[in-house]
Amino acid sequence: MELTIAKIGDPVLRQPAREVPEKEIVSEKVQKFIDDLIETKRAAKGAGLAAPQVSVLWKIFVAEVDGSTRYSYKPPIPLTVLINPKITFLTEERFENFEGCLSVPDLRGVVERCPEIRVEGLDREGKPIDQVMKGITAGTFQHENDHLNGTIFVDRVKDSKTFCTWEEFKKHHENEFHRQVKIIVAKYGS
Ligand code: NI
């Protein structure tokens, strides 16, 4: 079932999500919710979607990038369901990422992200995940994880002059950003 995506201004996006008790992960309720979250993410052509974005304050997000998302430049991410995640930065380095969000219609802006992170958590079967994520993919995971703490990418935009609509992004910033993305992907492999 497709769920309604909360938009910026809705207080639910500003509340911290709660951990999902481990023994509840395999319950019908949580499993159905994960299916709905995936369906909603795919219908909206997003790269990821976090539970608070559909007004559910659980620490769950999904990420997946393939040819069907609205981001032509993002390296592929296989469908990943992450429950109760913990992210650790593995480097002092940062890169500039042009981000958008399904909860912030038609706005993009430049955010600094860590290009090498460790992602720990549980998958939808309750099995542990412990992976190093790099580059643009690491940025996507940081963006989704922020939603679990009530943070939206706009909070992290240092220079508000970088805000732009999709139309202006395509006109004025896309070519340069895609050039930067190629450099990041060449350096980090994703
Ligand atoms: Ni978002």
Side-chain angles (χ1 to χ4, degrees):
M1 184 183 73
E2 219 181 295
L3 306 169
T4 303
I5 297 177
K7 299 296 182 334
I8 188 166
D10 187 327
V12 78
L13 293 171
R14 296 317 198 161
Q15 289 170 39
R18 293 180 298 272
E19 296 231 327
V20 183
E22 233 177 291
K23 56 179 187 302
E24 281 179 32
I25 291 173
V26 294
S27 70
E28 204 177 312
K29 188 181 169 192
V30 173
Q31 290 297 315
K32 169 81 167 71
F33 173 71
I34 291 168
D35 287 338
D36 291 346
L37 194 62
I38 294 167
E39 188 181 333
T40 307
K41 184 215 85 85
R42 286 178 174 164
K45 301 189 188 306
L49 190 64
Q53 291 183 274
V54 292
S55 306
V56 172
L57 290 169
W58 275 336
K59 286 191 186 259
I60 303 177
F61 69 73
V62 297
E64 176 188 44
V65 174
D66 57 22
S68 67
T69 67
R70 57 191 188 147
Y71 305 100
S72 61
Y73 59 86
K74 285 197 188 232
I77 303 174
L79 176 64
T80 306
V81 177
L82 206 56
I83 301 168
N84 302 340
K86 183 186 152 207
I87 286 182
T88 314
F89 289 1
L90 299 178
T91 172
E92 298 288 303
E93 276 180 63
R94 299 292 182 267
F95 70 98
E96 290 195 334
N97 200 23
F98 240 115
E99 297 193 3
C101 179
L102 294 173
S103 294
V104 188
D106 203 20
L107 192 71
R108 298 177 67 66
V110 174
V111 178
E112 275 190 358
R113 294 294 186 187
C114 180
E116 282 190 72
I117 60 171
R118 181 180 178 190
V119 179
E120 294 165 272
L122 300 170
D123 70 11
R124 67 179 299 172
E125 291 165 352
K127 292 191 191 126
I129 291 176
D130 187 349
Q131 270 180 271
V132 173
M133 306 270 186
K134 294 189 178 184
I136 301 295
T137 299
T140 300
F141 275 77
Q142 285 161 78
H143 175 116
E144 297 312 324
N145 192 62
D146 273 351
H147 280 300
L148 305 183
N149 300 311
T151 299
I152 304 176
F153 83 93
V154 294
D155 307 336
R156 296 196 183 277
V157 171
K158 282 196 181 142
D159 181 355
S160 56
K161 292 190 178 70
T162 65
F163 280 124
C164 58
T165 64
W166 269 97
E167 191 183 349
E168 300 307 324
F169 173 74
K170 283 182 187 298
K171 256 196 251 171
H172 302 289
H173 305 287
E174 191 173 42
N175 286 345
E176 170 57 21
F177 180 56
H178 285 195
R179 198 184 63 78
Q180 288 175 30
V181 167
K182 280 194 188 119
I183 294 167
I184 293 161
V185 172
K187 188 170 174 187
Y188 296 104
S190 57

